[in-house]
Amino acid sequence: MKLTMASSPHNHSHKSLTRLMLTVIAACIPGLIAQVFFFGTGVLIQLALAFVAVTAFEAAVMLIRKRPVWPALSDGSAWLTAVLLALSIPPFAPWWIIIIGCLFSIVIVKQLYGGLGFNLFNPAMAAYVLLLVSFPVQMTAWLPVTDLASNPIGFIEQLRLIFTDFTSTGYSLDQVRAGIDGTTMATPLDTIKTDVAHGLTVSESMQKPIFNEWAGQGWMWVNLGFLAGGLYLLKEKVINWHIPVSFIGSLALCSAIGYIAAPGTEPGTVFHLLSGATMMGAFFIATDPVSASTTNKGRLIYGALIGLFVYLIRTFGGFPDAVAFAVLLLNIAVPLIDYYTQPRTYGHGAVK
């Protein structure tokens, strides 16, 4: 019998790595459908660009390293990175934004460290943070949901915006955003943070049309879509329950305490759970088998700390959403967490 040494992710089910990755991609479909419905087909354009880009960059690196191309592509990890990154950026971001993100995630974060199983950070989130820090204007150019648009943008116009920065009538993205009921904010999370900083209460801020009774228009359904996909992954035993449960539980607890302490400036638990990238982060990003903790106790600590950092950065930090930053911070801490949470070895401490 041949002993094979391999890097993570280690799979204890009968599914192949390719099948696992494709299952995760399929589980993203409910959230993807909700995002397309509420924010337009620009999401699909970004997704197509991302698929082409990651395939090209992965193949190029394999050729440079003189390794087989198809085995690296067929494991599906690059395509999953493309999906997560495309779903994280604004639908009408310029085409070069997603290309730069794919280049950084595949070439720098993944392949430069040795390929799948050797990356220290989640590739999609590392690329997202790079883009957000480097191109904050383009990365915060979210439009409100299409229901609030006074002049809905068709597919061809969306293509023109992404590839030329202008519509056929000469309007830039900023002008298009300003024409939607005067609403130019990035996301509901950003709106709450900005309004509170200007002296408004949360209840006054949530009277704006981009909110519903619970969270932001559209964002609630996007999060529920990713929640449904995440529950499917748990059912199929593709991911463990420890990270998403501890993540969501920690964020819910912190936001509940914050709401009790300052109800006028805190939006509450439901808003935090159903806004931004909460559910996608809990089930699809934090559970990355390579960069996440590998012990059960470590996963609970890892997820809980991500939830805590998400709340702290959203509430006191300079960015409206914090999932990517929180995940990268805990990626750094994974070796330490795993070191102190190793399970007790069988027979340890037995009387000799």
Side-chain angles (χ1 to χ4, degrees), residues 97-108:
I97 286 286
I98 192 70
I99 301 300
I100 293 174
C102 291
L103 173 66
F104 185 77
S105 62
I106 297 299
V107 177
I108 306 298

Side-chain angles (χ1 to χ4, degrees), residues 118-282:
F118 296 97
N119 49 286
L120 301 179
F121 303 100
N122 183 292
M125 291 303 96
Y128 175 84
V129 168
L130 170 80
L131 294 172
L132 184 60
V133 172
S134 303
F135 311 104
V137 174
Q138 291 81 3
M139 287 295 291
T140 55
W142 286 88
L143 270 69
V145 296
T146 52
D147 288 347
L148 298 179
S150 55
N151 296 301
I153 306 173
F155 178 74
I156 300 301
E157 293 299 304
Q158 294 179 36
L159 276 173
R160 291 183 64 91
L161 270 177
I162 292 171
F163 286 98
T164 70
D165 295 330
F166 293 94
T167 64
S168 59
T169 53
Y171 288 105
S172 68
L173 180 57
D174 286 339
Q175 291 171 316
V176 170
R177 295 174 70 207
I180 300 181
D181 293 349
T183 305
T184 60
M185 71 290 299
T187 64
L189 283 168
D190 182 59
T191 302
I192 289 286
K193 182 186 287 286
T194 302
D195 287 348
V196 169
H198 284 83
L200 296 179
T201 65
V202 169
S203 59
E204 290 172 337
S205 179
M206 294 191 72
Q207 297 303 311
K208 293 183 175 180
I210 66 163
F211 294 102
N212 56 26
E213 294 181 1
W214 303 103
Q217 290 272 19
W219 289 99
M220 179 181 74
W221 293 105
V222 170
N223 274 276
L224 290 175
F226 284 116
L227 173 61
L231 294 176
Y232 172 74
L233 294 180
L234 289 175
K235 176 181 176 296
E236 293 295 309
K237 294 182 170 55
V238 173
I239 61 174
N240 294 291
W241 62 268
H242 305 78
I243 292 175
V245 169
S246 58
F247 179 160
I248 294 171
S250 173
L251 180 57
L253 177 62
C254 292
S255 57
I257 294 173
Y259 181 77
I260 293 171
T265 59
E266 289 291 326
T269 298
V270 175
F271 180 84
H272 274 284
L273 295 183
L274 297 180
S275 293
T278 300
M279 293 302 168
M280 184 170 76

Side-chain angles (χ1 to χ4, degrees), residues 310-328:
V310 166
Y311 175 76
L312 291 176
I313 297 173
R314 283 181 176 180
T315 305
F316 305 106
F319 293 94
D321 203 358
V323 171
F325 292 96
V327 168
L328 293 185

